[in-house]
Amino acid sequence: MKRLRLWCYGLLAVLIMLCVVVMPAGSHSYSQANLTTSQSLFESGQYSEAVQALQKEIQKAEALGDTAQQAVALGNLSLVLQSMGQWSEAEDAIAQSLTLLTPQVDGNASAPAQVLAQVMNIQGRLQFSQGQSQAALNTWEQASELYADIDDQIALVRVGINRAEALQSLGLYRQAIALLTDLTSTVSEESGVNDAVTQATALRRLGEALRVSGDLDQSAQVLSRSWAIAQQSNNRSQMVRSQLSLGNTAYSTGDLDAAWAYYDQVINQPINQPTNQTAQDGGAALLSIQAQLNQLRILVDRAENTSGASSQSPALILATTDMLVPAIDQLPLNSDAIATRINLAKTLLRLTISHSSQSPVPRTRPAYERGESFKPLPASFRLDLTDLATRELVTAYQQSQTLGHQRLEAIALTTLGNVYETSRQFEDAQQLTEKALSMLPSQSDDVAYQLHWQLGRIYAAKGERQDAIAAYDRAVKTLKGLRNDLVAVSANAQFSFRSGVEPVYRELASLLLAPDRTPTAADLEQARYTIEQLQLAELDNFFREACLDTTEVAVDEVDAKAAVLYPIILDDRLELIISLPQQTSRDRILKRYTTSVPAETVDRTVTSLIQFLRQPSANWRSPALSQQVYDWLIRPAEPALEESGIDTLVFVLDGTLRNLPMAVLQDGETFLIEKYAVALTPGLQLFDSQALPADGLNALVGGLSESRQDFPALPGVQTELTDIQSQLSESEVLLNETFTSDAIQDAINQVPFPVVHLATHGEFSSNLEDTYILTWSDRLSIDQLNSTLKAGELRRDRPIELLVLSACQTAEGDDLAALGLAGMAVRAGARSTVATLWQLSDAASPILMERFYRELRSGKVTKAQALRQAQLTLLNDPTYSLPYFWSPIVLVGNWI
């Protein structure tokens, strides 16, 4: 079931601050007084009274012929009507206001321009509330230009905050974060343009965007600054909003207790003391509901966890739900209220579906994603929650129609379709899903791919395989278009990459490789392509942006003696696709092999083997685990490999297999590295094919032999670097205190080294922030290393051919740590990367590297073959024959 993540929407009081229109200087005094009265009524939630006051103001201004004053009152009237959910009337009011103002701009100076900008700000809010994010962004950009012309810095920041909200809605989180970062610098004590409320709001929105982009530490820091500014200015409204956002960030880090405490503060610290019930229906009420809904999400999380479930869970969930439903019913009709209703339904459905004994379609996720079986909840309890969720979704759909918000209409129908899918009412589910697709507005790919995916599952459950494949294919293609910001899509769509994106690819591969039929050549090609797209999507998700703009390279043009192996871990089996050269043509042939082995068995075997290999004293006299994996991945294809004259195996690995060095697989007598050169690649679309120069090979060589930053010394590094320098005489060496990021960059700027060899501590992790290499004075992240290595790229004819990281390691216990290794390899910009899955022996590393460079310098072998000879050197040395010493080093990327 898709994991849910709630949004923190813009609230009423913030909208007042960001959108309310004020009168220009020189207006009639009684008009200004009436405007102040209507604004006060609006802020206190007395909407009907505010409407009456504004209507009187409009009539007076019209009688006096004061079009500017009339336009101001009409703009404010539109804002009030929006808050009341009277959208048609709000549109009429804003249209009248703009009609009055527009002709005056050319004939008057700053005052009408300022009023026009403010009215356009309200128009943008109306467009945004109706799901027209691009139109709202365009309107707010025009308002920004007007504010810039009259140099109204505070107003410019406020409309900029609105622009950032529209960018986030469009999935452009990188642009939103950049804009908000600039805005927080613009309005600060240091800049001299200081407004506490605006500054707190900008910081809070920045913190929220950082959370969605995955930068949780920075999000917490920025949100804490927002809260502190609000506290210093004694603005309880901003304080509570920051607390809600801090709770959401704490939840994202997994600290449920801290998140619960933040939500409690929001619920128990009302923003103001309303004079009537209507006031409570404004921003304060929505804040409290959001906090309670987030607490319900925590209750559901704990009920899903076997160790955390208790007999009290159903009662607590029902009690919280009983409070939320009538509270949501009392909210004014707007997009925030509808989205909150949908989120309530999704939270309840997540619990009912996760506890259901039936699943409409077997999930083809790897075993590491599936948790322990849930503790069953009573069937009657699940039925009650399903009925309630269904009613809420129907209401949300009807309200979305009233509002004219097609995106919310589609989301409500999508979720309803999922309810019917789960209950195996597939015809109804299909009808709702197709209707949602037909009404979905453009620029909604984050919803569209879910609809295609849902339709694919429905077709698959009905046994309509070709239709299912077509729907899944559309989902995958839509996801490819979303690669610009997959992490933002994941959070915005309220689920994680693993549960909300990865299964799309795996389920399509499972359909294409159905065990009850023989796949066609087209099926095999599409399955291979699907898995490669998954690899690229995972790397994009790791980097939190699309960074892999590559040119496809035909594998036979890379190496006619290489076979490419694609193992695919599915729930009930292990699929293997192998791309082989043909002897009679340059075309490739794809073969498919299936092993009936549960994913749990594959993961358990591979994990145990990795743990065994990482022990330097491990006894290798009984390598049963290695033989088992060999039997799964290599044994079925042995005849085809021999017949094709293969000398290099290139693996596109899946799941936990990525953390296992393939060289260590054994047929019972011989290791794989004794038969073949071995390379890894996330996909065959990541690089061009170019070999290292046969002559004039030089390198930038650097590293640490001394202890630094609490990391132990590496005495063998000095020997390693000296040996490499003797092999490559024109190399430059940076050792210890000279091994700094500035020195690396200076050296690369001066000489276009084809090889960069760094012998230093480092770690590859599934977390981008925890993937780094150590220098004398700091740690270089992937992005910093990328910037450093590419700094002199304009001076070279081609990028760095080979990057070697000889003392790094993957994070132990991290199932996806090798993703960091692949990420480092790709982001560094080198055609090939040699790195280690665990730290090489300090004594063995110089021996291996000396042989590796000696082979490369000969110009007679590929990089993969050079690495194979270096590993065999250790394997054949009694001192270093155990796999612990020679197996962890791997080649990622171009193996030529």
Side-chain angles (χ1 to χ4, degrees):
M1 178 55 189
K2 298 184 285 290
R3 304 268 309 168
L4 304 181
R5 182 171 295 170
L6 302 179
W7 305 335
C8 179
Y9 296 93
L11 302 173
L12 177 60
V14 177
L15 301 187
I16 296 170
M17 180 200 74
L18 297 179
C19 295
V20 70
V21 177
V22 297
M23 275 301 300
S27 299
H28 299 291
S29 59
Y30 76 86
S31 300
Q32 183 65 55
N34 287 353
L35 177 64
T36 303
T37 300
S38 62
Q39 182 173 338
S40 177
L41 290 168
F42 181 31
E43 292 177 354
S44 67
Q46 300 178 63
Y47 302 144
S48 297
E49 293 85 347
V51 168
Q52 293 174 10
L54 286 166
Q55 287 172 338
K56 291 179 181 179
E57 176 66 16
I58 292 168
Q59 293 171 358
K60 292 178 180 178
E62 184 177 9
L64 292 171
D66 190 343
T67 54
Q69 172 68 14
Q70 187 180 351
V72 167
L74 282 166
N76 281 329
L77 178 61
S78 176
L79 183 62
V80 177
L81 291 170
Q82 290 177 46
S83 302
M84 298 174 70
Q86 297 181 20
W87 299 99
S88 177
E89 294 85 348
E91 290 175 354
D92 290 342
I94 204 71
Q96 292 178 49
S97 178
L98 289 169
T99 299
L100 290 168
L101 281 175
T102 304
Q104 295 193 43
V105 176
D106 294 333
N108 205 333
S110 60
Q114 182 181 34
V115 175
L116 177 61
Q118 293 169 327
V119 172
M120 292 184 73
N121 198 7
I122 295 176
Q123 181 191 28
R125 175 56 56 185
L126 176 61
Q127 292 166 329
F128 185 81
S129 298
Q130 294 177 313
Q132 303 168 30
S133 298
Q134 186 60 57
L137 179 61
N138 295 339
T139 300
W140 281 328
E141 286 176 344
Q142 292 178 52
S144 293
E145 293 175 1
L146 290 169
Y147 282 132
D149 288 342
I150 61 177
D151 196 27
D152 189 337
Q153 292 297 313
I154 294 297
L156 194 59
V157 171
R158 289 175 176 175
V159 77
I161 293 171
N162 287 337
R163 288 167 52 204
E165 187 176 9
L167 288 169
Q168 292 177 50
S169 178
L170 294 169
L172 303 174
Y173 274 78
R174 291 291 167 187
Q175 293 184 36
I177 289 172
L179 173 58
L180 287 166
T181 301
D182 289 342
L183 294 176
T184 56
S185 300
T186 299
V187 55
S188 64
E189 292 183 5
E190 294 78 10
S191 68
V193 184
N194 191 21
D195 180 279
V197 174
T198 305
Q199 187 180 7
T201 302
L203 285 168
R204 176 167 51 79
R205 292 289 177 82
L206 175 59
E208 290 165 357
L210 288 167
R211 178 182 69 249
V212 174
S213 74
D215 195 344
L216 300 181
D217 290 340
Q218 187 66 18
S219 171
Q221 293 176 23
V222 171
L223 289 172
S224 294
R225 287 172 56 199
S226 174
W227 180 85
I229 291 171
Q231 186 184 44
Q232 290 169 7
S233 61
N234 197 30
N235 189 308
R236 297 185 68 186
S237 173
Q238 292 297 325
M239 287 170 59
V240 172
R241 285 169 172 77
S242 296
Q243 287 170 332
L244 181 61
S245 294
L246 281 164
N248 293 339
T249 295
Y251 177 87
S252 297
T253 65
D255 191 345
L256 302 188
D257 290 337
W260 186 281
Y262 278 121
Y263 298 145
D264 257 349
Q265 292 177 45
V266 174
I267 296 167
N268 297 322
Q269 295 182 19
I271 293 175
N272 50 34
Q273 301 298 325
T275 57
N276 56 39
Q277 183 58 42
T278 305
Q280 193 70 351
D281 292 340
L286 185 56
L287 276 173
S288 179
I289 290 170
Q290 290 283 359
Q292 291 177 71
L293 187 49
N294 290 356
Q295 287 188 334
L296 176 64
R297 175 183 54 181
I298 293 175
L299 291 175
V300 171
D301 287 342
R302 288 171 172 165
E304 283 185 342
N305 188 328
T306 301
S307 62
S310 70
S311 59
Q312 295 180 336
S313 294
L316 288 172
I317 291 169
L318 285 176
T320 305
T321 303
D322 287 343
M323 289 188 294
L324 281 169
V325 171
I328 294 174
D329 289 340
Q330 294 298 315
L331 290 173
L333 176 58
N334 55 42
S335 58
D336 289 342
I338 297 171
T340 300
R341 193 181 297 276
I342 293 173
N343 286 337
L344 170 61
K346 284 185 173 183
T347 301
L348 299 177
L349 289 173
R350 193 185 96 208
L351 182 62
T352 62
I353 293 174
S354 66
H355 284 261
S356 175
S357 59
Q358 294 183 338
S359 178
V361 178
R363 288 289 186 263
T364 51
R365 295 173 294 158
Y368 54 72
E369 173 59 22
R370 296 185 302 274
E372 300 177 9
S373 59
F374 296 127
K375 181 177 181 179
L377 291 174
S380 59
F381 174 69
R382 297 200 308 270
L383 184 60
D384 288 343
L385 292 185
T386 302
D387 289 344
L388 174 58
T390 301
R391 290 197 301 271
E392 293 299 302
L393 289 169
V394 171
T395 301
Y397 172 66
Q398 294 169 341
Q399 291 179 337
S400 300
Q401 286 184 306
T402 301
L403 182 59
H405 200 307
Q406 290 184 313
R407 178 183 170 90
L408 286 175
E409 280 187 72
I411 292 173
L413 284 180
T414 301
T415 313
L416 273 172
N418 185 240
V419 175
Y420 283 105
E421 176 198 358
T422 305
S423 62
R424 308 189 69 79
Q425 300 178 57
F426 297 120
E427 294 300 331
D428 291 331
Q430 180 178 335
Q431 183 178 0
L432 288 169
T433 306
E434 290 174 340
K435 184 176 181 179
L437 269 171
S438 69
M439 70 172 52
L440 190 66
S442 59
Q443 297 173 323
S444 299
D445 284 354
D446 57 323
V447 180
Y449 97 81
Q450 296 174 64
L451 284 165
H452 290 307
W453 178 24
Q454 184 163 292
L455 198 57
R457 297 195 307 267
I458 293 167
Y459 280 130
K462 292 169 62 178
E464 300 173 10
R465 179 178 177 274
Q466 289 304 320
D467 287 336
I469 289 174
Y472 270 102
D473 184 56
R474 287 192 292 271
V476 167
K477 288 178 179 176
T478 306
L479 278 170
K480 186 177 181 180
L482 283 170
R483 279 178 49 196
N484 284 335
D485 210 337
L486 270 177
V487 68
V489 169
S490 295
N492 209 25
Q494 301 183 13
F495 45 79
S496 70
F497 180 88
R498 277 189 173 184
S499 61
V501 175
E502 182 179 343
V504 180
Y505 297 90
R506 295 192 181 280
E507 289 169 15
L508 175 55
S510 183
L511 281 169
L512 292 165
L513 304 174
D516 58 348
R517 64 186 305 277
T518 300
T520 65
D523 289 337
L524 292 176
E525 184 62 42
Q526 188 176 359
R528 178 178 79 154
Y529 175 80
T530 298
I531 293 304
E532 285 201 2
Q533 288 302 303
L534 172 59
Q535 302 285 340
L536 298 180
E538 286 182 307
L539 283 172
D540 284 340
N541 186 60
F542 175 77
F543 287 119
R544 296 198 286 275
E545 62 180 315
C547 59
L548 306 177
D549 296 325
T550 59
T551 302
E552 295 189 15
V553 180
V555 65
D556 52 294
E557 295 178 6
V558 176
D559 189 350
K561 290 189 176 182
V564 187
L565 292 82
Y566 301 79
I568 307 169
I569 303 173
L570 302 177
D571 275 354
D572 59 345
R573 65 194 190 276
L574 179 65
E575 294 283 0
L576 180 66
I577 297 177
I578 300 184
S579 172
L580 294 164
Q582 295 192 74
Q583 296 178 346
T584 57
S585 71
R586 290 176 60 83
D587 294 331
R588 307 286 294 189
I589 185 172
L590 297 178
K591 291 184 176 291
R592 175 263 193 122
Y593 305 92
T594 303
T595 303
S596 297
V597 54
E600 292 89 343
T601 301
V602 174
D603 288 346
R604 183 171 57 252
T605 302
V606 170
T607 301
S608 297
L609 178 54
I610 292 169
Q611 292 173 346
F612 182 82
L613 289 170
R614 294 178 76 124
Q615 301 172 20
S617 59
N619 187 339
W620 194 253
R621 288 179 296 180
S622 179
L625 295 175
S626 177
Q627 291 182 44
Q628 180 63 80
V629 181
Y630 185 96
D631 290 342
W632 291 334
L633 299 185
I634 307 299
R635 188 86 65 188
E638 278 184 330
L641 294 172
E642 293 175 3
E643 181 181 351
S644 300
I646 297 300
D647 64 16
T648 301
L649 300 182
V650 181
F651 290 89
V652 181
L653 293 175
D654 186 27
T656 52
L657 289 169
R658 282 180 286 206
N659 287 351
L660 177 67
M662 293 293 105
V664 81
L665 303 187
Q666 190 178 44
D667 63 5
E669 297 180 358
T670 306
F671 288 108
L672 193 64
I673 197 66
E674 297 181 81
K675 299 179 181 180
Y676 304 100
V678 175
L680 308 175
T681 177
L684 295 176
Q685 303 171 357
L686 298 181
F687 49 84
D688 289 331
S689 172
Q690 291 193 25
L692 284 167
D695 56 351
L697 182 62
N698 62 339
L700 173 62
V701 185
L704 298 175
S705 63
E706 299 180 11
S707 174
R708 295 295 294 173
Q709 304 177 46
D710 297 326
F711 284 85
L714 297 169
V717 164
Q718 188 161 0
T719 302
E720 180 177 322
L721 301 192
T722 300
D723 289 345
I724 295 171
Q725 189 176 31
S726 67
Q727 293 283 342
L728 311 176
S729 57
E730 297 182 17
S731 299
E732 180 174 345
V733 176
L734 302 173
L735 180 64
N736 294 329
E737 64 271 10
T738 64
F739 181 61
T740 65
S741 57
D742 289 341
I744 296 171
Q745 184 166 322
D746 289 344
I748 289 177
N749 284 339
Q750 294 173 13
V751 180
F753 296 102
V755 177
V756 175
H757 182 110
L758 307 177
T760 179
H761 289 287
E763 185 165 272
F764 308 117
S765 167
S766 59
N767 186 340
L768 179 64
E769 283 72 25
D770 293 333
T771 298
Y772 62 89
I773 62 170
L774 196 70
T775 64
W776 180 258
S777 55
D778 56 17
R779 297 182 181 186
L780 282 180
S781 67
I782 289 181
D783 288 337
Q784 291 169 327
L785 179 63
N786 173 50
S787 299
T788 299
L789 295 182
K790 288 189 173 181
E793 190 165 314
L794 294 177
R795 299 173 178 268
R796 63 178 77 242
D797 295 330
R798 58 184 184 181
I800 294 169
E801 293 292 340
L802 176 63
L803 169 67
V804 180
L805 305 169
S806 69
C808 300
Q809 62 181 349
T810 53
E812 193 167 0
D814 185 343
D815 288 340
L816 294 177
L819 190 62
L821 190 158
M824 181 74 80
V826 171
R827 193 52 170 258
R831 301 291 176 85
S832 314
T833 298
V834 171
T836 50
L837 293 170
W838 57 87
Q839 189 171 312
L840 280 174
S841 160
D842 195 53
S845 183
I847 300 172
L848 184 144
M849 290 301 170
E850 188 277 335
R851 179 63 186 272
F852 174 60
Y853 283 105
R854 177 152 45 100
E855 294 291 333
L856 281 182
R857 194 184 59 175
S858 72
K860 299 178 181 179
V861 297
T862 66
K863 302 183 192 95
Q865 292 164 347
L867 183 59
R868 174 176 178 258
Q869 293 300 322
Q871 289 175 292
L872 291 177
T873 298
L874 293 181
L875 175 60
N876 294 324
D877 185 329
T879 305
Y880 304 112
S881 61
L882 290 177
Y884 168 82
F885 294 102
W886 54 263
S887 71
I889 192 160
V890 296
L891 172 65
V892 182
N894 178 12
W895 62 91
I896 297 299

